[in-house]
Amino acid sequence: MALTKRIKCFKYLVYSYVVLLMVTGAAQILVGTILLWGHSGYYGIVQNKLWAPAAILLCLGPITFLLCWMGCQATNQRKRCLLGTFIAALVACICFQFFICGWSLAMRESLPTSVEIFIDDSFVEFLDKFSRTKVDNLHLWNRMQSQLQCCGVDGPLDYRRLSLPWSCCSRPEHAYESACDTHYKRGCLSVVSEQIRYRLLLTSLGAATIAVVQSLGLFCAVHLAILFGKSENNHNINNLSKKRQQQFLPLSIQDKRHDMPSPLSLSPSAPGHRIIKSSKPPTMSK
């Protein structure tokens, strides 16, 4: 009876834990989407895998919702194996999020060296196109310089042989015209590196925080699995004892009946026993 009450109590705790997991799954999707959206502004320039931690964190959101469904099914149907699979998969997701945390911090420390080559190659391509046409106003570099308020890779001196594009002007007189009095002083390499470092830090903190929150209720799920195992063992022991009773009790009764003497074989000298007399058929006189 006490075991049944404990199972009922921990089932409600696991249900509450599943609700908490759903909240963390929604947080994974939200944080990953925001970080990827911010990275899309310069993804065409920084062509490497700096977006991977945020993308993986986003993909873990639907996986967390799938684990929530698995945990509810295992708890509701009292399936120990399914609950064990739920716990193992959840532990793997938590460990993987801590890996994302360390991976993001390691990538953050490698900046700006890891993006410098990509930015230089992209800027050389933009300069070649800008020197020939000067009309590609919607080029990625023009959009990035205007949004991030930067100019060139290291500064405005990168355009020393050309006129500054309109995107380098802090207050352009006319849209898409390079004539301006003031322009941005800082280069885009430092700005992009700073933006990426900030987003990688957010990815690391978000993954670590979500992993810690998801690990809070693991004890309840593990303990419920142990209680399910004890309940199954008790059920198996009860079934086995019932089978043994059904198998051996009739045999003992049959042995007792076999040991009892037959009424026809009773000795006449036995006290308290009735003598059975055989009657002969009467003979007819002639």
Side-chain angles (χ1 to χ4, degrees), residues 30 32 45 62 64 66 82 112 128 163 179 191 218 238 246 271 275 279 281 285:
L30 180 63
I45 295 176
T64 302
L66 180 62
L82 186 60
D128 181 65
S163 60
V191 177
L218 274 177
N238 293 334
Q246 293 175 358
I275 300 175
S279 58
S285 59

Side-chain angles (χ1 to χ4, degrees), residues 261-267:
S262 174
L264 297 177
S265 62
L266 290 175
S267 173

